[in-house]
Amino acid sequence: MTHRASACGKIILLGEHAVVYGFPAIAVPVRELRAWADFAESRSPFRIEAPAIGLDAPLEDLPAEHPLAFCVRRSLEILHTTLPAGCLTVTSEIPVASGLGSGAAVSTAIVRVLASAAGQTLPPEEVSRIVFEVERIYHGTPSGVDNTVIAHERPIYFRRGLEPQILAVGAAIHFLIADSGVRSETRHAVGGVRERRQADPARYEGLFKFIGDLAEQGREYLESGDPEMLGRTMFECHGMLDAIGVTTPGLDRLVAAARGAGALGAKMSGAGLGGNVIALVDPQRFASVESALRDSAAVAVYRMALEPSHPPLGGTEPLPAA
Ligand code: PMV
């Protein structure tokens, strides 16, 4: 018997880095890019194959801190089930180390496929909790935003230590995601911000507060369906991320190119120092913005949309903290 599960990518619309220090962030699912986990039951001992990273090994040969092995072992503990015999194959169309949540998506797909193989369904908050533990291996001090948005596959308002909230989307909003082609480790960018903050806490507190305020405003524009104003907050946020030292000339060029070609907003997204730029674009301008991004050295451009959704009953739906 075979089982298959998937998980979406994610992108941070507003609030990265400041979210690590307790300020709010808005993150949204990228349903157009997914990670997959396939589990084929067989008589042979459990093995993991992840062709993209050249992994093909029996689980028992992998150390406890290997992220995929940890994810499998922790999932089985939570599911109160023993190791099934068979092969787990992990594939992903989400670019790695580029702010699109590839690690959290792979982990989420693994948790889901193991639950399916065990004949169980885990609620999103339980999936999110397991994935958060794996994220700690990847990033050291993750805020929890990636695992939350990916496990729920809904736009979220996230603030460390508080219950995440699922957000309604007031009108369809369209984006282009431009990959700079530069891979960057979240741990490295977050560590650099931490050092600069230690050297000048007052300045950084002010910048983080500004980023957090933009996330609060962005939330309102997302919910009321106001792409123009949401776009403005994105341009402003990019300026703040520049001020905390996580943009690069290449990312700045992509943002300027999107702006010049008529995007309503654009910013780098995620940890920065590489990775992706997200541009809010009226679909009528997709072609011109996309070609401007490619002319400015984007190695790939993805289209994504947030469809309008209704607020959950009783307003914004709270979720247990990840
Ligand atoms: O993994 P990325 O590149 O999406 O970055 C995560 C966002 C940060 O705010 C920089 C870190 C975090 O843990 O929230």
Side-chain angles (χ1 to χ4, degrees), residues 63-146:
E65 68 281 6
H66 188 290
L68 300 188
F70 176 88
C71 185
V72 169
R73 294 189 178 111
R74 193 75 185 106
S75 301
L76 296 174
E77 265 171 38
I78 298 290
L79 291 161
H80 301 291
T81 186
T82 50
L83 191 63
C87 183
L88 172 70
T89 305
V90 178
T91 50
S92 175
E93 53 198 26
I94 307 168
V96 296
S98 61
L100 293 174
S102 82
V106 161
S107 303
T108 302
I110 291 175
V111 178
R112 286 180 177 155
V113 84
L114 292 175
S116 156
Q120 299 180 40
T121 318
L122 288 175
E125 48 272 29
E126 193 71 74
V127 175
S128 177
R129 261 193 284 274
I130 300 170
V131 176
F132 182 66
E133 292 185 42
V134 188
E135 286 291 284
R136 278 198 170 129
I137 300 177
Y138 282 119
H139 302 315
T141 54
S143 62
V145 66
D146 281 24

Coordinates of all heavy atoms in Angstrom, one line a residue, residues 63-146:
P63 N 21.6 9.9 12.2 CA 21.8 10.3 13.6 C 20.5 11.0 14.1 O 19.7 11.5 13.3 CB 22.9 11.3 13.5 CG 23.0 11.7 12.1 CD 22.5 10.6 11.3
A64 N 20.4 11.1 15.4 CA 19.2 11.6 16.0 C 18.9 13.1 15.6 O 17.7 13.5 15.4 CB 19.3 11.6 17.6
E65 N 20.0 13.9 15.3 CA 19.8 15.3 14.9 C 19.6 15.5 13.4 O 19.5 16.6 13.0 CB 20.9 16.1 15.5 CG 22.3 15.9 14.9 CD 23.0 14.7 15.4 OE1 22.4 13.9 16.2 OE2 24.1 14.5 15.0
H66 N 19.6 14.4 12.6 CA 19.3 14.6 11.2 C 17.8 15.1 11.1 O 16.9 14.4 11.6 CB 19.5 13.3 10.5 CG 19.4 13.4 9.0 ND1 18.2 13.7 8.4 CD2 20.3 13.4 8.0 CE1 18.4 13.8 7.1 NE2 19.7 13.6 6.8
P67 N 17.6 16.2 10.4 CA 16.2 16.8 10.5 C 15.1 15.8 10.0 O 14.0 15.7 10.6 CB 16.3 18.0 9.6 CG 17.7 18.4 9.5 CD 18.5 17.1 9.7
L68 N 15.4 15.1 8.9 CA 14.3 14.2 8.4 C 14.1 13.0 9.3 O 13.0 12.6 9.6 CB 14.7 13.7 7.0 CG 14.9 14.8 5.9 CD1 15.0 14.2 4.5 CD2 13.7 15.8 5.9
A69 N 15.2 12.5 9.8 CA 15.1 11.3 10.7 C 14.4 11.8 12.0 O 13.6 11.0 12.5 CB 16.5 10.8 11.0
F70 N 14.8 12.9 12.5 CA 14.1 13.4 13.7 C 12.6 13.6 13.5 O 11.8 13.2 14.4 CB 14.8 14.8 14.1 CG 14.1 15.4 15.3 CD1 14.5 15.1 16.6 CD2 13.0 16.3 15.2 CE1 13.8 15.7 17.7 CE2 12.4 16.8 16.2 CZ 12.8 16.5 17.5
C71 N 12.3 14.1 12.3 CA 10.9 14.4 12.0 C 10.1 13.0 12.0 O 9.0 12.9 12.6 CB 10.8 15.1 10.7 SG 9.1 15.5 10.2
V72 N 10.7 12.0 11.4 CA 10.1 10.7 11.4 C 9.9 10.1 12.8 O 8.8 9.7 13.2 CB 10.9 9.7 10.5 CG1 10.4 8.3 10.7 CG2 10.9 10.1 9.1
R73 N 11.0 10.2 13.6 CA 10.9 9.5 14.9 C 9.9 10.3 15.8 O 9.2 9.7 16.5 CB 12.3 9.5 15.5 CG 13.3 8.6 14.8 CD 14.6 8.4 15.5 NE 15.5 7.5 14.8 CZ 16.6 7.9 14.2 NH1 17.0 9.2 14.2 NH2 17.4 7.0 13.5
R74 N 10.0 11.6 15.7 CA 9.1 12.4 16.6 C 7.6 12.2 16.2 O 6.7 12.1 17.0 CB 9.5 13.9 16.5 CG 8.8 14.8 17.5 CD 9.5 14.6 18.9 NE 8.8 15.4 19.8 CZ 8.0 14.9 20.8 NH1 7.9 13.6 20.9 NH2 7.4 15.7 21.6
S75 N 7.4 12.1 14.9 CA 6.0 11.9 14.4 C 5.4 10.6 15.0 O 4.3 10.5 15.4 CB 5.9 11.9 12.9 OG 6.4 13.1 12.4
L76 N 6.3 9.6 14.9 CA 5.8 8.2 15.3 C 5.5 8.2 16.8 O 4.6 7.6 17.3 CB 6.9 7.2 15.0 CG 7.1 7.0 13.5 CD1 8.3 6.0 13.2 CD2 5.8 6.5 12.7
E77 N 6.4 9.0 17.6 CA 6.1 9.1 19.0 C 4.7 9.7 19.3 O 3.9 9.3 20.1 CB 7.1 10.0 19.7 CG 8.3 9.3 20.3 CD 9.4 10.3 20.7 OE1 9.1 11.4 21.2 OE2 10.6 10.0 20.4
I78 N 4.5 10.8 18.6 CA 3.2 11.6 18.8 C 2.0 10.7 18.3 O 0.9 10.8 18.9 CB 3.2 12.9 18.0 CG1 4.4 13.8 18.5 CG2 1.9 13.6 18.1 CD1 4.2 14.4 19.9
L79 N 2.3 9.9 17.3 CA 1.2 9.1 16.7 C 1.0 7.8 17.6 O 0.1 7.0 17.3 CB 1.5 8.7 15.3 CG 1.4 9.8 14.3 CD1 2.1 9.5 13.0 CD2 -0.1 10.2 14.0
H80 N 1.9 7.6 18.6 CA 1.9 6.4 19.4 C 1.9 5.1 18.5 O 1.1 4.2 18.7 CB 0.7 6.3 20.3 CG 0.6 7.5 21.3 ND1 1.5 7.7 22.3 CD2 -0.2 8.6 21.3 CE1 1.3 8.8 22.9 NE2 0.2 9.4 22.3
T81 N 2.8 5.1 17.5 CA 2.9 4.0 16.6 C 4.3 3.6 16.4 O 5.2 4.4 16.6 CB 2.2 4.3 15.3 OG1 2.1 3.1 14.5 CG2 2.9 5.4 14.5
T82 N 4.5 2.3 16.0 CA 5.9 1.8 15.8 C 6.3 2.1 14.4 O 5.4 2.4 13.5 CB 6.0 0.3 16.1 OG1 4.9 -0.3 15.4 CG2 5.9 0.0 17.6
L83 N 7.6 2.0 14.1 CA 8.1 2.2 12.8 C 7.5 1.3 11.8 O 7.7 0.0 11.9 CB 9.6 2.1 12.9 CG 10.5 2.6 11.7 CD1 10.3 4.1 11.5 CD2 11.9 2.2 11.9
P84 N 6.8 1.8 10.8 CA 6.3 0.8 9.7 C 7.5 0.4 8.8 O 8.5 1.1 8.7 CB 5.3 1.7 9.0 CG 5.7 3.1 9.2 CD 6.5 3.2 10.5
A85 N 7.4 -0.7 8.1 CA 8.4 -1.1 7.2 C 8.0 -0.5 5.8 O 6.9 -0.5 5.4 CB 8.4 -2.6 7.1
G86 N 9.1 0.0 5.1 CA 8.8 0.6 3.8 C 9.7 1.8 3.5 O 10.6 2.1 4.3
C87 N 9.4 2.5 2.4 CA 10.3 3.5 1.9 C 9.6 4.9 1.9 O 8.5 5.0 1.3 CB 10.8 3.2 0.6 SG 12.0 4.4 0.0
L88 N 10.2 5.9 2.6 CA 9.6 7.2 2.5 C 10.4 8.0 1.5 O 11.7 8.1 1.6 CB 9.8 7.9 3.9 CG 9.5 9.3 4.1 CD1 8.0 9.6 3.9 CD2 9.9 9.9 5.4
T89 N 9.7 8.6 0.5 CA 10.4 9.4 -0.5 C 10.0 10.8 -0.4 O 8.8 11.1 -0.4 CB 10.1 8.8 -1.9 OG1 10.5 7.5 -1.9 CG2 11.0 9.6 -3.0
V90 N 10.9 11.7 -0.3 CA 10.6 13.1 -0.2 C 11.0 13.9 -1.4 O 12.2 13.8 -1.8 CB 11.4 13.7 1.1 CG1 11.1 15.2 1.2 CG2 11.0 12.9 2.3
T91 N 10.1 14.7 -2.0 CA 10.4 15.5 -3.1 C 9.8 16.9 -2.9 O 8.9 17.0 -2.1 CB 9.9 14.9 -4.4 OG1 8.5 14.6 -4.2 CG2 10.6 13.7 -4.9
S92 N 10.4 17.9 -3.6 CA 9.9 19.2 -3.4 C 10.1 20.1 -4.6 O 11.2 20.0 -5.2 CB 10.5 19.8 -2.1 OG 10.1 21.2 -2.0
E93 N 9.1 20.9 -4.9 CA 9.3 21.9 -6.0 C 9.6 23.3 -5.4 O 9.7 24.3 -6.1 CB 8.1 21.9 -6.9 CG 6.8 22.1 -6.2 CD 5.6 21.7 -7.0 OE1 5.7 20.9 -7.9 OE2 4.5 22.3 -6.8
I94 N 9.8 23.4 -4.0 CA 10.0 24.6 -3.4 C 11.5 24.9 -3.3 O 12.3 24.0 -2.8 CB 9.5 24.6 -1.9 CG1 8.0 24.2 -2.0 CG2 9.6 26.0 -1.2 CD1 7.4 23.9 -0.6
P95 N 12.1 26.0 -3.8 CA 13.5 26.2 -3.8 C 14.0 26.2 -2.3 O 13.3 26.8 -1.5 CB 13.7 27.6 -4.4 CG 12.4 27.9 -5.1 CD 11.3 27.1 -4.5
V96 N 15.2 25.6 -2.1 CA 15.7 25.6 -0.7 C 16.4 26.9 -0.3 O 16.8 27.6 -1.2 CB 16.7 24.4 -0.5 CG1 16.0 23.1 -0.7 CG2 17.9 24.5 -1.4
A97 N 16.5 27.1 1.0 CA 17.2 28.3 1.5 C 16.9 29.6 0.8 O 17.8 30.3 0.4 CB 18.7 28.0 1.5
S98 N 15.6 29.8 0.5 CA 15.2 31.0 -0.2 C 14.0 31.7 0.4 O 13.4 32.5 -0.2 CB 15.0 30.7 -1.7 OG 14.0 29.8 -1.8
G99 N 13.6 31.3 1.6 CA 12.6 32.0 2.3 C 11.2 31.5 2.0 O 10.2 32.1 2.3
L100 N 11.1 30.4 1.3 CA 9.8 29.9 0.9 C 9.3 28.7 1.7 O 8.4 28.0 1.4 CB 9.8 29.5 -0.6 CG 9.9 30.7 -1.6 CD1 10.1 30.3 -3.0 CD2 8.8 31.7 -1.4
G101 N 10.0 28.5 2.8 CA 9.6 27.4 3.8 C 9.8 26.0 3.3 O 9.1 25.1 3.8
S102 N 10.8 25.8 2.5 CA 11.0 24.4 2.0 C 11.2 23.4 3.1 O 10.6 22.3 3.1 CB 12.1 24.3 1.0 OG 13.3 24.2 1.6
G103 N 12.0 23.7 4.1 CA 12.3 22.8 5.2 C 11.0 22.4 6.0 O 10.7 21.3 6.2
A104 N 10.2 23.5 6.3 CA 9.0 23.2 7.1 C 7.9 22.5 6.2 O 7.2 21.7 6.8 CB 8.4 24.6 7.6
A105 N 7.9 22.7 4.9 CA 7.0 22.1 4.0 C 7.3 20.6 3.9 O 6.4 19.7 4.0 CB 7.0 22.7 2.7
V106 N 8.6 20.3 3.8 CA 9.0 18.9 3.7 C 8.6 18.2 5.1 O 8.0 17.1 5.0 CB 10.5 18.8 3.5 CG1 11.1 17.4 3.8 CG2 10.8 19.1 2.0
S107 N 8.9 18.8 6.2 CA 8.6 18.2 7.5 C 7.1 18.0 7.6 O 6.6 16.9 8.1 CB 9.0 19.1 8.6 OG 10.4 19.3 8.6
T108 N 6.3 19.0 7.2 CA 4.8 18.9 7.3 C 4.3 17.7 6.4 O 3.4 16.9 6.9 CB 4.2 20.2 6.8 OG1 4.7 21.2 7.6 CG2 2.7 20.2 6.9
A109 N 4.9 17.6 5.2 CA 4.4 16.5 4.3 C 4.8 15.1 5.0 O 4.0 14.2 4.9 CB 5.1 16.6 3.0
I110 N 6.0 15.0 5.6 CA 6.4 13.8 6.3 C 5.4 13.4 7.4 O 4.9 12.3 7.6 CB 7.8 13.9 6.8 CG1 8.8 13.9 5.6 CG2 8.2 12.7 7.7 CD1 10.3 14.1 6.0
V111 N 5.1 14.4 8.3 CA 4.2 14.2 9.4 C 2.9 13.7 8.9 O 2.3 12.7 9.4 CB 4.0 15.4 10.3 CG1 3.0 15.2 11.4 CG2 5.3 16.0 10.8
R112 N 2.4 14.3 7.9 CA 1.1 14.0 7.3 C 1.1 12.6 6.7 O 0.1 11.8 6.9 CB 0.6 15.0 6.2 CG 0.2 16.3 6.8 CD -0.2 17.3 5.7 NE -0.7 18.5 6.3 CZ -0.6 19.7 5.7 NH1 -0.2 19.8 4.5 NH2 -1.1 20.8 6.3
V113 N 2.1 12.2 6.0 CA 2.1 10.9 5.3 C 2.2 9.8 6.4 O 1.6 8.7 6.3 CB 3.2 10.8 4.2 CG1 4.5 10.4 4.7 CG2 2.7 9.8 3.2
L114 N 3.0 10.0 7.5 CA 3.1 9.0 8.5 C 1.8 8.9 9.3 O 1.4 7.8 9.6 CB 4.3 9.4 9.4 CG 5.7 9.3 8.8 CD1 6.8 9.8 9.8 CD2 6.0 7.9 8.3
A115 N 1.1 10.0 9.5 CA -0.2 9.9 10.1 C -1.1 9.1 9.2 O -1.9 8.2 9.7 CB -0.8 11.3 10.3
S116 N -1.1 9.3 7.9 CA -1.9 8.6 7.0 C -1.6 7.1 7.0 O -2.5 6.3 7.1 CB -1.8 9.2 5.6 OG -2.1 8.3 4.6
A117 N -0.3 6.8 7.0 CA 0.1 5.4 7.1 C -0.3 4.7 8.4 O -0.6 3.5 8.4 CB 1.6 5.3 6.9
A118 N -0.5 5.5 9.4 CA -0.9 5.0 10.7 C -2.4 5.0 10.8 O -3.0 4.7 11.9 CB -0.3 5.8 11.9
G119 N -3.1 5.4 9.8 CA -4.6 5.5 9.8 C -5.1 6.6 10.7 O -6.2 6.5 11.2
Q120 N -4.3 7.6 10.9 CA -4.8 8.7 11.7 C -4.7 10.1 11.0 O -4.1 10.2 10.0 CB -3.8 8.8 12.9 CG -3.8 7.6 13.8 CD -2.8 7.8 15.0 OE1 -2.7 8.9 15.6 NE2 -2.0 6.7 15.3
T121 N -5.4 11.1 11.5 CA -5.3 12.4 11.0 C -4.9 13.3 12.2 O -5.6 13.3 13.2 CB -6.7 12.9 10.5 OG1 -7.3 11.9 9.8 CG2 -6.5 14.1 9.6
L122 N -3.9 14.1 12.1 CA -3.5 15.0 13.1 C -4.0 16.3 12.8 O -4.0 16.8 11.7 CB -1.9 15.1 13.2 CG -1.2 13.9 13.8 CD1 0.3 14.1 13.6 CD2 -1.6 13.6 15.2
P123 N -4.5 17.1 13.8 CA -5.0 18.4 13.6 C -3.8 19.3 13.2 O -2.7 19.1 13.6 CB -5.6 18.9 14.9 CG -5.1 17.9 15.9 CD -4.7 16.7 15.2
P124 N -4.1 20.4 12.5 CA -3.0 21.3 12.0 C -2.1 21.8 13.2 O -0.8 21.8 13.0 CB -3.7 22.5 11.3 CG -5.0 22.0 11.0 CD -5.4 20.9 12.0
E125 N -2.7 22.1 14.3 CA -1.8 22.6 15.4 C -0.9 21.6 15.9 O 0.3 21.9 16.4 CB -2.7 23.2 16.5 CG -3.8 22.4 17.0 CD -5.1 22.7 16.2 OE1 -5.1 23.0 15.1 OE2 -6.2 22.5 16.8
E126 N -1.3 20.3 15.9 CA -0.4 19.2 16.3 C 0.8 19.0 15.3 O 1.9 18.9 15.6 CB -1.2 17.9 16.4 CG -0.5 16.8 17.2 CD -0.4 17.0 18.6 OE1 -1.4 16.9 19.4 OE2 0.8 17.3 19.0
V127 N 0.4 19.1 14.0 CA 1.4 19.0 12.9 C 2.4 20.1 13.1 O 3.6 20.0 13.1 CB 0.7 19.1 11.5 CG1 1.8 19.1 10.4 CG2 -0.2 17.9 11.3
S128 N 1.9 21.3 13.3 CA 2.7 22.5 13.5 C 3.7 22.4 14.7 O 4.9 22.7 14.5 CB 1.8 23.7 13.7 OG 2.5 24.9 13.9
R129 N 3.2 21.8 15.7 CA 4.1 21.6 16.9 C 5.3 20.7 16.6 O 6.4 21.0 17.0 CB 3.3 21.0 18.1 CG 2.9 22.1 19.1 CD 2.4 21.4 20.4 NE 1.0 20.9 20.2 CZ -0.1 21.6 20.3 NH1 0.0 22.9 20.6 NH2 -1.3 21.0 20.1
I130 N 5.0 19.6 15.9 CA 6.1 18.7 15.5 C 7.1 19.4 14.6 O 8.3 19.3 14.8 CB 5.6 17.4 14.9 CG1 4.6 16.6 15.8 CG2 6.7 16.5 14.4 CD1 3.8 15.5 15.1
V131 N 6.5 20.1 13.6 CA 7.4 20.7 12.6 C 8.2 21.8 13.3 O 9.4 22.0 12.9 CB 6.6 21.3 11.4 CG1 7.4 22.0 10.5 CG2 5.8 20.1 10.7
F132 N 7.7 22.5 14.3 CA 8.4 23.5 15.0 C 9.7 22.9 15.6 O 10.8 23.5 15.6 CB 7.6 24.1 16.1 CG 8.3 25.2 16.8 CD1 8.7 26.4 16.2 CD2 8.6 25.1 18.2 CE1 9.3 27.4 16.9 CE2 9.2 26.1 18.9 CZ 9.6 27.3 18.3
E133 N 9.6 21.7 16.2 CA 10.7 21.0 16.8 C 11.8 20.7 15.7 O 13.0 20.9 16.0 CB 10.3 19.7 17.5 CG 9.4 19.9 18.7 CD 9.1 18.6 19.4 OE1 10.1 17.8 19.5 OE2 8.0 18.4 19.8
V134 N 11.4 20.4 14.5 CA 12.3 20.1 13.4 C 13.0 21.4 13.0 O 14.2 21.5 12.7 CB 11.7 19.4 12.2 CG1 12.7 19.0 11.2 CG2 10.8 18.3 12.6
E135 N 12.2 22.5 13.0 CA 12.7 23.8 12.6 C 13.8 24.3 13.5 O 14.7 25.0 13.1 CB 11.5 24.9 12.6 CG 10.6 24.7 11.4 CD 11.2 25.1 10.1 OE1 11.4 26.3 9.8 OE2 11.5 24.2 9.3
R136 N 13.7 23.9 14.8 CA 14.8 24.2 15.7 C 16.1 23.6 15.3 O 17.1 24.2 15.5 CB 14.4 23.7 17.1 CG 13.5 24.6 17.8 CD 13.6 24.2 19.3 NE 12.9 25.1 20.1 CZ 12.0 24.7 21.0 NH1 11.7 23.5 21.2 NH2 11.4 25.6 21.7
I137 N 16.1 22.4 14.7 CA 17.3 21.8 14.2 C 17.9 22.6 13.1 O 19.1 22.9 13.0 CB 17.1 20.4 13.8 CG1 16.6 19.5 15.0 CG2 18.4 19.8 13.2 CD1 16.3 18.1 14.7
Y138 N 17.0 23.1 12.2 CA 17.4 23.8 11.0 C 17.9 25.2 11.4 O 18.9 25.7 10.9 CB 16.3 24.0 10.0 CG 15.9 22.8 9.1 CD1 14.6 22.2 9.2 CD2 16.8 22.3 8.2 CE1 14.3 21.2 8.4 CE2 16.5 21.2 7.4 CZ 15.2 20.7 7.5 OH 14.9 19.6 6.7
H139 N 17.2 25.9 12.2 CA 17.4 27.4 12.4 C 17.8 27.8 13.8 O 18.2 29.0 13.9 CB 16.1 28.1 12.1 CG 15.6 27.9 10.7 ND1 16.4 27.9 9.6 CD2 14.3 27.7 10.3 CE1 15.6 27.7 8.5 NE2 14.4 27.5 8.9
G140 N 17.8 26.9 14.7 CA 18.2 27.3 16.1 C 17.1 28.0 16.9 O 16.6 27.4 17.8
T141 N 16.7 29.2 16.5 CA 15.7 29.9 17.2 C 14.6 30.4 16.3 O 14.3 31.6 16.1 CB 16.3 31.2 17.9 OG1 16.9 32.0 16.8 CG2 17.3 30.8 18.9
P142 N 13.8 29.5 15.7 CA 12.8 29.9 14.8 C 11.7 30.6 15.5 O 11.4 30.3 16.7 CB 12.3 28.6 14.2 CG 12.6 27.6 15.2 CD 13.9 28.0 15.9
S143 N 11.0 31.5 14.9 CA 9.9 32.2 15.6 C 8.6 31.3 15.6 O 7.8 31.5 16.5 CB 9.5 33.5 14.8 OG 9.1 33.2 13.5
G144 N 8.5 30.4 14.7 CA 7.4 29.5 14.6 C 6.4 29.9 13.5 O 5.4 29.3 13.3
V145 N 6.8 30.9 12.8 CA 5.8 31.4 11.8 C 5.7 30.4 10.6 O 4.6 30.2 10.1 CB 6.2 32.9 11.3 CG1 7.5 32.9 10.6 CG2 5.1 33.5 10.5
D146 N 6.8 29.8 10.2 CA 6.8 28.9 9.0 C 5.9 27.7 9.3 O 5.0 27.4 8.5 CB 8.2 28.4 8.7 CG 9.0 29.5 7.9 OD1 8.7 30.6 8.1 OD2 10.0 29.1 7.2

